[in-house]
Amino acid sequence: ADLLTKALQTQHGIESKAYVGMRYWYPFTEQALDDIRRDNINALVILPLYPHFSTTTSGSSLRVLQEEFSKRMDWYGPQRMRHTVVPSWYEREGYLKSMSTLINTELETFSKEELDMGKGERHILFSAHGVPNAVIEAGDPYKGHIEECVKLITQYLPGEDEGVYVHLSYQSRVGPIEWLRPYTDFVLPELGEQGVKNIVVVPISFVSDNLETLEEIGIEYRELAEESGIVNWRRCDALNTDPMFINDMADMVMDALNEPMQSVTE
């Protein structure tokens, strides 16, 4: 958040303040709104840190904002504060180039010995956070956003003619119901059976490293991969504070201010 305000100042000469509001942990969205009201803000860009839209993520947070705004139109109405929402942004060139740069960096770390072991092949597994199938069947665009995003990033990566193969799977399912497939913990053993030795796993749903990238991918899936014969493992970092990513976020905020996209009620 601090780096974003600095980028807005450096790139666009805009004095701004960033507020962090979380759905399930501190600072909660309601706390961020209290701060916004206290600071007398009159223009607000609502920027979910989910590149891809889903009713279970960005949609859930926007519903909270919609409820809070409707309670206090004297504070959040257009006469007092102008706001706009960026619902998804996975197709932005800056985001795509930031992701591909991190992935290409990991691809370059395989040694000649590792490449020889894998018959010259390197595999990329995009592991996205899953959602229940019922959510997608109800019209949620998340699956389509993820699939399109992977295709767009792949354009900036080496191709199969260079021995690089791309896969997509979904992680973090819970409960007995059917979630988006293929599951990451099924795909890794399948790749091992196919003789894959070199892999880069990319957490495609997250822009910040967290338990699901550091532990689920970095520890649990790595152990599963190695048990399956995939001996040369790489985990791509999330974007975190990548400068190209932060700079593009600043551009995104300016785009939203200049051409408002939608309100929380849309």
Side-chain angles (χ1 to χ4, degrees):
D2 290 340
L3 290 174
L4 175 57
T5 59
K6 290 176 182 176
L8 282 165
Q9 172 62 48
T10 302
Q11 294 174 212
H12 301 286
I14 296 292
E15 290 289 342
S16 62
K17 186 168 183 179
Y19 300 86
V20 177
M22 300 191 191
R23 186 73 174 87
Y24 301 110
W25 194 242
Y26 300 101
F28 291 114
T29 300
E30 295 83 351
Q31 294 173 274
L33 289 176
D34 287 342
D35 292 338
I36 289 168
R37 196 165 60 246
R38 190 177 305 116
D39 290 343
N40 242 352
I41 296 300
N42 57 24
L44 179 68
V45 175
I46 300 167
L47 179 58
L49 289 181
Y50 303 104
H52 324 88
F53 183 85
S54 173
T55 55
T56 63
T57 53
S58 300
S60 175
S61 296
L62 293 176
R63 282 194 297 273
V64 172
L65 287 172
Q66 183 177 3
E67 292 169 3
E68 293 298 317
F69 280 25
S70 65
K71 293 176 188 174
R72 296 298 306 271
M73 290 301 290
D74 55 326
W75 279 101
Y76 304 122
Q79 291 78 21
R80 185 70 177 267
M81 185 184 74
R82 179 169 61 95
H83 80 270
T84 184
V85 176
V86 182
S88 66
W89 40 272
Y90 66 88
E91 70 288 304
R92 288 186 63 87
E93 186 177 12
Y95 166 72
L96 299 171
K97 286 185 175 180
S98 299
M99 286 294 297
S100 62
T101 297
L102 292 178
I103 297 167
N104 280 320
T105 297
E106 292 299 327
L107 287 173
E108 292 301 317
T109 64
F110 290 104
S111 67
K112 183 179 182 306
E113 290 75 14
E114 289 173 328
L115 290 173
D116 290 343
M117 187 185 303
K119 299 179 181 178
E121 293 183 0
R122 294 166 291 172
H123 291 254
I124 300 169
L125 176 60
F126 288 93
S127 185
H129 196 288
V131 298
N133 270 353
V135 172
I136 304 301
E137 291 167 359
D140 192 286
Y142 176 74
K143 180 174 182 287
H145 283 191
I146 289 289
E147 291 174 349
E148 183 181 1
C149 181
V150 169
K151 289 179 182 178
L152 291 171
I153 294 173
T154 300
Q155 295 176 359
Y156 296 94
L157 302 175
E160 293 186 2
D161 58 330
E162 298 177 74
V164 175
Y165 297 84
V166 173
H167 315 270
L168 170 63
S169 61
Y170 296 89
Q171 65 180 83
S172 306
R173 72 187 185 280
V174 293
I177 61 174
E178 187 74 9
W179 284 50
L180 284 177
R181 288 178 179 264
Y183 302 142
T184 301
D185 55 341
F186 286 16
V187 169
L188 287 169
E190 290 171 358
L191 291 175
E193 288 177 5
Q194 295 168 19
V196 170
K197 299 300 179 185
N198 304 319
I199 197 165
V200 176
V201 179
V202 181
I204 190 63
S205 299
F206 304 101
V207 297
S208 300
D209 278 313
N210 58 75
L211 194 66
E212 289 168 278
T213 65
L214 299 174
E215 181 171 331
E216 188 174 11
I217 293 179
I219 297 176
E220 295 174 14
Y221 288 156
R222 178 173 187 165
E223 290 177 354
L224 177 61
E226 292 174 346
E227 290 169 1
S228 303
I230 306 174
V231 292
N232 303 317
W233 167 276
R234 306 288 190 274
R235 179 187 70 84
C236 190
D237 288 336
L239 288 168
N240 296 311
T241 58
D242 178 81
M244 188 187 305
F245 169 57
I246 297 296
N247 290 339
D248 188 61
M249 286 188 70
D251 292 341
M252 188 180 352
V253 169
M254 289 304 301
D255 291 344
L257 286 171
N258 293 327
E259 297 182 19
M261 299 183 178
Q262 68 178 56
S263 72
V264 295
T265 57
E266 294 179 71

